[in-house]
Amino acid sequence: MPADRPTLPPVRLRPDAELARAALAAPVLARAVRLARWAGPETRVGAGGELVDAQLAGAAEALGLAADEDGEAYASEAWRVAVDTGLVEVRDEPDGAGERAAVTAGEALPLVTRGGPRDVLALWLDGLETVVADAAAPVLDDPAALEAAAGPDGRIDFDALGWDPEAEARLLDEVLANLYLLTVSEGGPGEGPVPLPALAASVIVPDDMGEPTDDVLEQVSRAMMRLDDQFRVLEPMGLVEYRPVDEALMTEEAPDEPAPAELDEDDVARYGMVRLTPLGLYGVRSRLLEAGIDAPAVGDLAERDAAELLAAVGGFPQAAARAETEQWLAGREPVAAARELLAAAKGADAGSPLRRLHCQQALALVGAEAEVAVREVLDDPELGGLARVWLAERGAADVPPPPEAMIFWLAIDTIAAQLDADGDLEELQDLVEGLTGRHGGFFAEAWRVEHPATPEVLEAMGRLHRDRRVAKEARKAAFKARSRA
């Protein structure tokens, strides 16, 4: 996993019970469970706990795969998962001739039927590590190369094959992390599939590269072919849904393909399409957390206080911020929740304008029951403007008019919050121009506002306003505000 510790957008996870059912239905884990029940005292294994070749046919038959040309390979994979997850236990026991490996049901097997959802998911995660390691292993399908790379003891010298296990595992980790990020990011594909070329490019093409070079494009092509093999391995574990690369594209006889700009959806899909399943989102997030990466889930803040909620949702996409706030409110009495939110929104620190913006959005979710708490802050210099806006939007009666100083303070605070939120540029320009259009002589008063962000906001208004004369007034006001400070 990447070495830095970024914070990713929060993910919406399905309920544990639903994920556990999906885990048990994943073909690889289901086969591992069947083999654990099939195994017994007569099961023979090698020194590493693997099924000996003579047992593979019987294992494939137990799985109903005797007629499948890959049945023994599937059985071997499922057995490795059974051993690594503790569904079966392999231990050495003495017999008359020395030592033999005894196979018994493992401690994890009863969890399949009697364990809770978290037990099942922990079992699946253990199996996932085995399958990910298999996916990162080299594809050994060239007999001549294998023979040349074999040492005197029969072991394969992977260095001779040009295979770097650490680099291979790191690349797969980065691909899965990028697929996760694309899935949870606002404006990403969401639950839709990602084209394999785009995913490969995301880990190969440098961020600062404009037009990829031929060498880089060749690296992307090689990465695509490797990922095609790897996702075929990962899909039966329930991690992804994958449409493989069209094999016709890999043949020399394939017709010339159109340029990327000319490809329609069907053409793009021929190059491979992949998406994380809901169970895959859970699995990749668990691996990211294990690697020390902050990968929040919606609902993580439900038991935290309002200050932590408002600080966190400021960095969330809009839909995730709303979902997180709804879960936070669900466990609280409305008036008490509104009071806690308003108290957390106060302050003159750099993050306070954005906190107040999210406080106002949270209060909208509380509904009319928040009115008692909102009216309590009408005279507060930091919250009084927010309170009046909230009440006016609901058509409340007896809303006192704001003092002029409060109007200008609220204007500065609102723009500061929108600047921190990195909102849409055109919407921000409309906000700035609307404020200056409604208030004649806005800048003559705005530079005097006792708000820590006043100089920065006025400078930004000078950059954003599309009327050059008004923009110049804003820059003059910003100069006055800085001189005054």
Side-chain angles (χ1 to χ4, degrees), residues 355-448:
R355 286 203 308 276
R356 284 185 280 274
L357 173 64
H358 286 288
C359 173
Q360 187 169 354
Q361 293 170 346
L363 291 173
L365 297 175
V366 177
E369 295 171 286
E371 183 168 344
V372 172
V374 172
R375 285 189 178 275
E376 291 171 354
V377 300
L378 281 170
D379 295 330
D380 187 288
E382 294 177 352
L383 302 176
L386 176 157
R388 284 168 172 80
V389 170
W390 188 92
L391 290 166
E393 287 177 345
R394 277 148 192 78
D398 303 322
V399 181
E404 186 176 75
M406 184 177 286
I407 293 173
F408 284 97
W409 193 94
L410 179 62
I412 295 295
D413 197 61
T414 300
I415 297 174
Q418 294 295 340
L419 289 170
D420 287 344
D422 293 326
D424 179 79
L425 176 60
E426 189 171 341
E427 289 181 3
L428 194 52
Q429 288 176 317
D430 291 342
L431 173 63
V432 167
E433 292 170 5
L435 281 171
T436 56
R438 286 194 302 273
H439 300 283
F442 178 87
F443 296 110
E445 297 297 330
W447 68 271
R448 296 186 173 89

Side-chain angles (χ1 to χ4, degrees), residues 33 89 143 154 160 210 225 247 314 318 322 330 345 426 428 452:
V33 171
E89 182 180 354
M225 294 302 98
E247 293 187 3
Q318 186 174 353
R322 181 186 178 94
E426 189 171 341
L428 194 52

Side-chain angles (χ1 to χ4, degrees), residues 151-172:
D153 58 356
R155 294 179 179 273
I156 301 299
D157 180 2
F158 290 117
D159 288 338
L161 295 175
W163 181 63
D164 182 342
E166 291 185 2
E168 193 77 19
R170 186 166 55 250
L171 179 63
L172 182 55

Side-chain angles (χ1 to χ4, degrees), residues 29-40:
L29 186 58
R31 292 169 189 158
V33 171
R34 290 178 68 178
L35 287 185
R37 292 168 175 160
W38 162 82

Side-chain angles (χ1 to χ4, degrees), residues 128-169:
L128 177 63
E129 291 306 308
T130 299
V131 175
V132 168
D134 285 349
V139 179
L140 305 177
D141 55 3
D142 184 344
L146 283 177
E147 185 176 352
D153 58 356
R155 294 179 179 273
I156 301 299
D157 180 2
F158 290 117
D159 288 338
L161 295 175
W163 181 63
D164 182 342
E166 291 185 2
E168 193 77 19

